[in-house]
Amino acid sequence: AVFKGINRLYEGDPAPSSPFTELLNIDNGEPLGQGGMKRLVPWEGSRSASSSDFMIVVTDPRPKSVELRTAMKRLAGALSADMLAKCVVINTDTPAENRRFVKKNFSEDSGADKMTVLTDEKMDWMREYTALGEKRFSISMFILKEGRCEKIAREVEAESMTETVKNAIRGMLR
């Protein structure tokens, strides 16, 4: 779909898997690669999830985004451990900055450690998924299922992130 000269993703459009290979793992700073992408993306042959499973991707292109960090804390407090396991947060911070934030703010028994945090320093994933925003950078939320964008919410505020995610899941599971 084309909007103002930008090829934008809309609900129902195919969700490309290849951009996931270039995302950096915060534990070692290395790209996920083909194997990591297959473990992460349910429809690409993940053994830990069925191919009909979905994933929730929350992304913010702003460096050291206070809003994204607030949204992560709210999601960790509001979602169950199995929903957090389906959550992937993608930002532009370095792997070391992300590691420090996760270590400082989430204890290992909080369940928030199940949330996957990845780095997209070059913003390639965000460009591919049109998550950069039109006029300004903002938080975007995607629910991806079976190779398609099931739900998309752009310019989401941190305060409303948990309700946005819960409503999108509820609407998708009907």
Side-chain angles (χ1 to χ4, degrees):
V2 178
F3 179 75
K4 289 189 181 179
I6 301 170
N7 241 355
R8 293 196 68 174
L9 280 180
Y10 290 100
E11 292 179 6
D13 284 352
S17 301
S18 58
F20 284 96
T21 60
E22 298 301 315
L23 295 174
L24 303 179
N25 184 335
I26 68 166
D27 295 327
N28 58 16
E30 297 292 321
L32 287 181
Q34 197 69 23
M37 180 268 297
K38 285 186 177 187
R39 282 189 297 278
L40 180 68
V41 180
W43 61 89
E44 285 293 337
S46 170
R47 290 195 179 121
S48 61
S50 72
S51 63
S52 64
D53 215 351
F54 62 91
M55 64 190 294
I56 304 159
V57 181
V58 177
T59 180
D60 191 345
R62 297 172 289 194
K64 294 184 183 177
S65 171
V66 174
E67 204 173 350
L68 178 66
R69 292 176 176 189
T70 302
M72 287 171 67
K73 290 177 191 173
R74 288 175 185 249
L75 283 173
L79 296 180
S80 63
D82 61 319
M83 282 297 149
L84 284 175
K86 296 173 194 239
C87 266
V88 177
V89 176
I90 301 172
N91 63 21
T92 57
D93 298 339
T94 65
E97 287 170 349
N98 280 319
R99 246 189 334 269
R100 276 192 296 274
F101 171 76
V102 169
K103 184 178 179 183
K104 182 178 175 184
N105 292 282
F106 302 119
S107 64
E108 288 187 25
D109 59 341
S110 69
D113 58 331
K114 298 207 181 315
M115 193 178 343
T116 305
V117 180
L118 300 170
T119 298
D120 185 17
E121 288 181 306
K122 297 176 190 163
M123 294 192 227
D124 292 335
W125 188 97
M126 294 179 198
R127 269 188 210 90
E128 187 76 29
Y129 275 82
T130 60
L132 293 175
E134 285 176 48
K135 295 181 174 82
R136 64 183 185 94
F137 286 169
S138 61
I139 297 177
S140 298
M141 186 269 315
F142 300 85
I143 295 187
L144 310 176
K145 181 178 180 181
E146 296 176 351
R148 296 222 165 280
C149 295
E150 284 291 317
K151 299 284 180 184
I152 299 175
R154 301 181 198 277
E155 297 190 22
V156 181
E157 299 295 324
E159 292 76 28
S160 62
M161 177 58 72
T162 55
E163 283 306 309
T164 303
V165 169
K166 286 180 178 180
N167 288 340
I169 293 168
R170 205 174 301 126
M172 186 185 67
L173 296 177
R174 284 186 192 155

